[in-house]
Amino acid sequence: AVPKKGRLYARVLQMMERMGLEYRRANRLDIANCTNMPVSIVFLPAKDIAYYVGEGQVDLGITGEDIIAEANVKVNTLAKLGIGKCRLCVQGPKGKYKEAKELAGKRIVTSFPKLARKFFNNFDAKLSTQTSIKYVSGSVEAAIALGLADGIVDIVETGTTMKAAGLEVVEDVMKSETVLIANPNTKHPELVSRLFKRIQGYIVAKNQCMISYNIRKSNLAAALKITPGHESPTVTELSDSGWVAISALIKRKEAQDIFDKLEEVGAKSILTFAIDACRFPSDYRRSVSGELNGLLRDEEKLSK
């Protein structure tokens, strides 16, 4: 299950393409069958995905941690995808509130009523107040200006919409980003494992790149400390016996700093190359959230 629209839609489509999933989606249909794998892709509102995965109607889903927390369903979080990073925040008119507890007992409007209720219950218990939590499906930031609320609980990504409405963050409720989730009782652990490894490869390819450079053998030890690689760098002899060529995996965002450090130890012809796709099985065994709550063990049993 993937988001059918919104800020994540285009990014998720790109990810599926890089995963090698080929499908045709007919107009106005929210289900597409892959032509090269026994996989069906279901396009759903992002807020519904956690429920579908938790109830077992779909095996895998891509949605936000905030939505999973609001849904309060049991799912396995397989990987953080590094996109859709945001915060769920208590917001109020600029300069009016310094702490969230000042809004206890007042009117709060939100699209996350369960999380908002849980957050303000702590203050209500201590302060003997009763905070009113009202649900709206969208345009939450307009509730204060329209006189419906004293404060809101809403997502902040860039803060542009919040500032345009004359609001500011009073306190964070939680941080969130887009994650890959799975039903704990999936009947297709092998296929879930295969798709998960493809997504892992996409994440690595997006965030890493290959670096190549030449270095004198006398400076090799110093250079390898700068570029240790994923498992071990590749060292290749050159026609000049005093030099070697090095290839290693590095984090894309650290490339320029690594260039500077390599130049300081005498590296020449320093180049980086984008990675279109990759696969690191060991990363699968060490998933972002640890062992996949039984999926790995099930896969190992099937392989035996």
Side-chain angles (χ1 to χ4, degrees), residues 9-61:
Y9 177 72
R11 293 180 179 181
V12 171
L13 290 187
Q14 181 186 46
M15 184 180 71
M16 290 194 296
E17 180 182 355
R18 296 284 292 277
M19 287 169 61
L21 296 180
E22 299 176 4
Y23 63 93
R24 293 190 185 124
R25 182 185 179 190
N27 289 336
R28 299 188 179 183
L29 284 183
D30 290 334
I31 297 179
N33 295 322
C34 291
T35 57
N36 62 336
M37 288 184 73
V39 174
S40 294
I41 300 169
V42 187
F43 296 85
L44 296 171
K47 289 200 171 185
D48 293 343
I49 291 174
Y51 291 108
Y52 276 79
V53 175
E55 294 297 324
Q57 275 77 35
V58 295
D59 297 284
L60 286 167

Side-chain angles (χ1 to χ4, degrees), residues 211-220 223 227 234-240 242-247 262-263 265-271:
I211 191 167
S212 173
Y213 59 90
N214 299 336
I215 191 80
R216 289 185 183 275
K217 288 183 178 179
S218 57
N219 296 333
L220 179 58
T227 57
T234 301
V235 181
T236 307
E237 294 282 345
L238 296 178
S239 58
D240 186 330
W243 288 75
V244 290
I246 307 296
S247 296
L262 288 174
E263 196 171 16
V265 298
K268 305 291 185 181
S269 303
I270 309 171
L271 306 170

Side-chain angles (χ1 to χ4, degrees), residues 47-111:
K47 289 200 171 185
D48 293 343
I49 291 174
Y51 291 108
Y52 276 79
V53 175
E55 294 297 324
Q57 275 77 35
V58 295
D59 297 284
L60 286 167
I62 295 174
T63 191
E65 292 175 303
D66 53 331
I67 292 171
I68 298 167
E70 176 67 20
N72 193 28
V73 292
K74 186 178 180 181
V75 296
N76 289 341
T77 299
L78 303 188
K80 295 186 177 183
L81 302 183
I83 59 176
K85 293 183 179 181
C86 59
R87 295 176 295 155
L88 182 64
C89 303
V90 178
Q91 302 169 40
K94 190 172 182 179
K96 188 170 183 178
Y97 302 105
K98 293 183 179 180
E99 297 178 287
K101 67 180 181 182
E102 296 175 43
L103 282 160
K106 297 184 183 296
R107 301 169 302 159
I108 303 296
V109 164
T110 182
S111 296

